[in-house]
Amino acid sequence: MPSSPRISIIIPVYNGTNYMRDAIDSALAQTWSNSEVVVVNDGSRDDGATLALAQSYGDRIVLIDKPNGGVASALNAGIAAMTGDVFCWLSHDDRHHPDKAAVQVEDWLAHGHHNEVLYSNYRLIDAGGETLADVELDHAMLTAKPLYALLRGSIHGCSVFVPRAILDDIGGFDETLPTTQDYDLWRRVIARYRFRHMPRVLIDSRWHDEQGSKKIDHVVEATHFWTTTIEAVSAADKIACEGSQLRFDQEMARFLRKNNLADAAAQIEDRAREGLNRTLISVIMPVFNRVDLALGALDSLKRQTHLEWELIVVDDGSTQDMGLLIRAVDALGPRARYIRQENGGPGAARNHGWQLARGAYVAFLDSDDLFLPTKLADQLRVMEETGTAFSHTSYYRHWQGSRDLTLFSSGAGNKFPDIIRSCGIATPTVMLRRTLIDEGLSFPTHFHLGEDVSLWLSIAARHGIIGLPSALSIVRTGENAAAYDPVKARQGIDNILCFIASHADLSAHELEIHRLQNMRNSI
């Protein structure tokens, strides 16, 4: 790309005598001298008035006179005739500010990213050219989430600065699309190139009743464009933008409703609900002997209202006959697996299952605990709506030999870093995003007491935490549990304190650590 790129400003026009002189004059007034103005008369039917007005500029412009074919065909004709290195579009009813080309060239060359498209803020003007408002786009959001240049309708076509090489690679405008030809092209471009927002007002966009985007045919065409575009966004991109696929779809539906595309919004909402119901959750259940209890846990999973789950049972070196449980797992078919490993403790067993998980989310079900029927559905919905990577709930405690259940409200109150001093999160209440293990997060395996809390602290420090106040699990406990055995309780806290000391993102919270030490000393 030359150090002084040539700018081609393409102006398509059809019956445009009302505003086109403003547009052409603004293009010719550019302070960037290495530029050309290409006016394409798209078969105007106004007794030659538009053609005559364009011809009055003589050799100051390049004039193309063609049969009517629509905006896309006119733009493509201009692109085919342009001699510049960069394509800029100017609608016949809009205006470029005098420094538009110069500012964009300077910015583009300064960044050195020649395979990117620039776009800017814009000013709304009325039919008479008077200012209505400046549209200041969210620069921070568009920088952090460049895909929203397209998906938030942020690209004003007359503000773009497109290297010719990108058009040569991607192709031109789709001439079968009367009103969404611009966003169809941006969709194809953004799949391979970056759009970069410039937080400056560089054009005037005229708002009047003759615009194609205000006609009923546009609504039908736009509905198809947006629904197909959103459907094509990958799960990874949705999560990157909003933290979850459901949240992404909900936000897109709000955007579409705001822009008078109610049918498109309704279709996206329907797909979002279907997508939530199809979300696979991997349930990891470590077992060590105690077949009767494990069968009860398995039955609680089979009663879930969310139907898309898989079960990974990890036998941590059981010494009893596990045949009954193995047969129960086999009866579930391909959605369940029974894995056996040498005894390594519950943390190692959970890590093993987590590594094999195929679901978008992972839940942990200890073999002596139970899920209530809406556990997976309720927790998944909240995590998807909030874009959370880690959540837990309140739960019921069931003392062995008793019929009573005691509510343990650990959900809404446990926030980071408060949970350092007193973490009441029970493992069967947790749901987390499967990809956390790809970040190196896993249960410590060198100790077997407090290993779960250590992982919860690590995740919360990095991703935050959300607690659901509803009790969605039953945790069965007894006098041998660490919570009731002083020796085990102190050892567990010692392990957690040692783990905290080795992690900078945790060890900085001195007040909470001091309170945890006091708790340990009071046992």
Side-chain angles (χ1 to χ4, degrees):
M1 184 62 65
S3 59
S4 179
R6 182 168 176 79
I7 307 301
S8 296
I9 302 173
I10 313 298
I11 306 177
V13 58
Y14 174 77
N15 294 351
T17 55
N18 46 359
Y19 304 119
M20 67 179 288
R21 186 176 294 280
D22 256 5
I24 295 174
D25 288 347
S26 76
L28 292 172
Q30 291 300 297
T31 59
W32 184 257
S33 60
N34 189 12
S35 62
E36 66 175 352
V37 178
V38 180
V39 177
V40 183
N41 178 35
D42 187 39
S44 296
R45 297 183 178 94
D46 55 0
D47 296 324
T50 294
L51 182 60
L53 178 55
Q55 289 172 331
S56 71
Y57 284 88
D59 60 5
R60 298 173 65 196
I61 65 171
V62 176
L63 177 59
I64 300 171
D65 187 24
K66 62 178 284 296
N68 180 256
V71 176
S73 72
L75 287 166
N76 286 340
I79 291 169
M82 66 182 267
T83 62
D85 305 297
V86 177
F87 160 74
C88 292
W89 173 5
L90 178 57
S91 295
H92 85 277
D93 47 359
D94 293 338
R95 300 186 298 218
H96 281 178
H97 289 192
D99 60 348
K100 193 259 188 189
V103 166
Q104 289 187 313
V105 167
E106 180 181 0
D107 182 271
W108 190 63
L109 293 176
H111 280 80
H113 301 149
H114 294 164
N115 286 331
E116 69 178 6
V117 176
L118 304 182
Y119 66 105
S120 75
N121 297 336
Y122 52 94
R123 177 168 297 147
L124 290 175
I125 60 174
D126 63 17
E130 297 300 316
T131 297
L132 296 173
D134 283 355
V135 177
E136 303 281 353
L137 301 171
D138 187 338
H139 180 68
M141 182 271 288
L142 292 169
T143 300
K145 305 174 183 179
L147 191 59
Y148 275 172
L150 173 74
L151 296 176
R152 284 295 180 269
S154 302
I155 307 166
H156 193 298
C158 294
S159 78
V160 299
F161 180 98
V162 187
R164 174 64 184 267
I166 291 180
L167 294 177
D168 291 341
D169 178 37
I170 298 297
F173 293 89
D174 186 338
E175 297 182 15
T176 68
L177 300 175
T179 65
T180 61
Q181 73 287 326
D182 51 352
Y183 267 73
D184 170 76
L185 179 58
W186 312 149
R187 174 173 60 182
R188 286 182 278 128
V189 171
I190 207 168
R192 299 186 60 177
Y193 300 96
R194 180 185 175 92
F195 278 76
R196 183 161 58 80
H197 174 245
M198 297 181 65
R200 294 186 57 166
V201 173
L202 296 176
I203 68 166
D204 293 338
S205 177
R206 200 179 305 266
W207 186 255
H208 58 87
D209 291 335
E210 301 170 33
Q211 291 167 310
S213 61
K214 295 183 179 178
K215 299 176 181 177
I216 187 64
D217 288 347
H218 168 72
V219 174
V220 175
E221 186 178 319
T223 296
H224 175 74
F225 169 81
W226 283 107
T227 52
T228 56
T229 297
I230 295 167
E231 186 176 11
V233 178
S234 69
D237 282 339
K238 288 184 176 184
I239 292 170
C241 285
E242 293 297 336
S244 76
Q245 296 184 69
L246 177 64
R247 183 174 175 137
F248 174 90
D249 288 336
Q250 289 176 332
E251 291 301 318
M252 286 304 311
R254 291 189 187 98
F255 165 76
L256 294 172
R257 288 191 187 282
K258 183 178 178 181
N259 286 276
N260 301 315
L261 294 170
D263 286 347
Q267 290 183 45
I268 298 305
E269 288 169 340
D270 288 343
R271 291 178 188 175
R273 285 189 289 270
E274 293 172 2
L276 187 65
N277 292 335
R278 291 194 305 267
T279 300
L280 180 64
I281 301 172
S282 299
V283 179
I284 313 302
M285 185 166 70
V287 296
F288 181 78
N289 298 330
R290 300 191 297 181
V291 172
D292 55 337
L293 294 178
L295 289 172
L298 180 58
D299 284 342
S300 77
L301 178 60
K302 291 161 62 177
R303 291 195 295 270
Q304 290 301 295
T305 58
H306 182 80
L307 303 180
E308 290 298 318
W309 51 262
E310 67 167 359
L311 171 65
I312 303 174
V313 176
V314 183
D315 185 335
D316 189 35
S318 293
T319 58
Q320 297 177 356
D321 180 6
M322 305 298 285
L324 193 58
L325 179 60
I326 293 172
R327 289 191 291 275
V329 172
D330 288 344
L332 294 173
R335 72 189 309 186
R337 286 173 281 176
Y338 191 97
I339 310 295
R340 184 173 172 84
Q341 67 175 28
E342 293 185 4
N343 183 259
R350 294 185 191 114
N351 288 340
H352 192 172
W354 192 355
Q355 290 164 350
L356 297 173
R358 297 172 299 180
Y361 292 89
V362 171
F364 302 100
L365 176 59
D366 286 350
S367 62
D368 54 348
D369 296 329
L370 304 170
F371 283 168
L372 294 179
T374 64
K375 145 78 176 178
L376 296 182
D378 290 353
Q379 205 161 358
L380 172 65
R381 177 181 50 79
V382 171
M383 291 187 71
E384 281 282 301
E385 287 178 345
T386 58
T388 306
F390 174 40
S391 73
H392 70 105
T393 76
S394 296
Y395 60 95
Y396 293 106
R397 277 182 175 170
H398 176 229
W399 189 268
Q400 291 178 1
S402 170
R403 294 185 178 182
D404 296 332
L405 297 177
T406 303
L407 176 64
F408 192 84
S409 299
S410 61
N414 268 300
K415 306 290 184 182
F416 187 83
D418 290 348
I419 60 171
I420 292 176
R421 62 183 176 183
S422 178
C423 182
I425 300 175
T427 302
T429 75
V430 167
M431 184 180 288
L432 48 81
R433 195 165 291 144
R434 188 204 61 79
T435 53
L436 293 181
I437 199 169
D438 299 330
E439 300 178 17
L441 293 163
S442 62
F443 292 92
T445 57
H446 56 284
F447 55 84
H448 298 166
L449 289 171
E451 82 288 344
D452 50 354
V453 171
S454 297
L455 175 59
W456 311 152
L457 297 180
S458 296
I459 299 174
R462 187 179 299 185
H463 292 282
I465 182 174
I466 185 170
L468 282 67
S470 301
L472 299 175
S473 302
I474 297 175
V475 175
R476 293 191 269 201
T477 189
E479 59 185 13
N480 292 326
Y484 302 102
D485 185 325
V487 175
K488 289 182 178 180
R490 285 192 294 268
Q491 183 60 60
I493 294 176
D494 286 341
N495 290 340
I496 295 168
L497 287 169
C498 184
F499 181 86
I500 289 172
S502 65
H503 288 72
D505 52 355
L506 297 173
S507 58
H509 299 280
E510 296 179 358
L511 176 60
E512 288 76 15
I513 294 170
H514 180 67
R515 290 176 175 173
L516 179 59
Q517 291 169 333
N518 288 341
M519 179 186 295
R520 188 262 184 217
N521 294 334
S522 67
I523 295 174

